[in-house]
Amino acid sequence: MDEVRATSAWVAARSSHVTIDHSGIEKVVETVKTSIPKVEWDFEGIHYFDDGPLTVQYLFVLDTLNFCFWPDKDLNYDDLASGLKEALQNDKSVFDADRLQKYTGPELRKLLKWPRPLPLEDERVRLLREVGLELEKNFEGKASNLVDSCGKSAEKLVTLVTRHFPGFRDHSVYKGHQVFLYKRAQIFAADLWGAFKGKGYGEFNDIGEITIFADYIVPAVLRQLGVLKYSPALAATIEANVEIGSGSEEEVELRACSVCAVEKMRELIQKKSGKQVLSVELDIWLWSVGVQCPSLQHHRTLSIYY
């Protein structure tokens, strides 16, 4: 995760489309003072949980598919999480590694009870097959074995996921330098930690190493809070719902500056309160603010990474 922090800071120091407003960070930190609003991981009650290996399998499938909802105005993360939950409740073998390798687009739609093609549907099916094949090949078909092999280290889990599953390798190149963001790999570790409340499969000795998860919602919330500022051209693009290219300078800056800004927020909270605040907790809070604001305008990028 040091790579995520370092490369995000590198981008933020050279960014021209997105800037971090340090006075905005001060205001937000002063507002929340020493108490970031505590938001339960499953505050909407949409996730499957049975306190065992099947929950780990569910979360890994969920985070394999957790990207790019906006092209379908009615589809959101809740639909994915609750749809997969219902499918698993109806059939405990639905996410077995051999079955993951065989899903087609229409079958995935049927699983989620979605009436039309999913955004990037072919990519979603490809990633499911990749996950099923690699789990079967190296982890006896079980995501829980993958988690067991990380030795209670969230950082090692992210490393293992990105090593074994190419679809989780969330890299970009910015001004000739490689940038690492690892959104879906990190959120898998965070989901485990949140679901299992830091115990069992969710026990990590280094959960503090996880950064926020650079997606669509967090930059928009940070802008609303006055922490991020956009150039006039970028603001106009987002407000007009014009697509921003994956890997473009604007897109990388939106994501990297979000990571860097929240790290600065976390450090300032710790400095003022003397208490450690996790980036994971800040992310859950920012996400909950965003999803409760239907008018929030986010950038639009077709990407498998978030």
Side-chain angles (χ1 to χ4, degrees), residues 8-114:
S8 292
W10 194 92
V11 172
R14 293 157 179 81
S15 177
S16 57
H17 307 284
V18 183
T19 53
I20 298 171
D21 188 323
H22 296 277
S23 64
I25 291 174
E26 290 272 2
K27 287 175 185 172
V28 172
V29 170
E30 187 59 32
T31 301
V32 298
K33 296 193 183 292
T34 60
S35 179
I36 290 293
K38 286 286 182 185
V39 181
E40 284 294 318
W41 174 79
D42 189 27
F43 68 95
E44 294 169 294
I46 56 175
H47 298 93
Y48 178 87
F49 184 75
D50 69 353
D51 202 26
L54 205 54
T55 295
V56 182
Q57 197 84 354
Y58 162 81
L59 290 173
F60 198 43
V61 170
L62 172 64
D63 290 326
T64 298
L65 298 171
N66 181 9
F67 59 87
C68 205
F69 301 100
W70 63 263
D72 188 323
K73 64 182 178 62
D74 299 317
L75 181 66
N76 58 45
Y77 172 79
D78 290 10
D79 297 307
L80 177 66
S82 58
L84 294 177
K85 174 184 178 179
E86 185 178 345
L88 186 54
Q89 287 172 330
N90 292 334
D91 179 357
K92 299 299 186 192
S93 69
V94 73
F95 302 140
D96 284 2
D98 59 336
R99 291 186 64 179
L100 292 177
Q101 296 171 55
K102 297 171 185 173
Y103 280 114
T104 63
E107 286 170 343
L108 179 57
R109 265 179 258 160
K110 186 177 178 182
L111 204 66
L112 296 171
K113 295 183 177 176
W114 201 250

Side-chain angles (χ1 to χ4, degrees), residues 10 16 23 40 55 85-86 121 140 158 179 188-189 206 220 230 238 240 248 266:
W10 194 92
S16 57
S23 64
E40 284 294 318
T55 295
K85 174 184 178 179
E86 185 178 345
E121 184 171 278
E140 299 177 356
V158 171
V179 178
F188 176 51
D206 57 354
Y230 296 172
I238 292 172
S248 64
R266 184 182 59 78

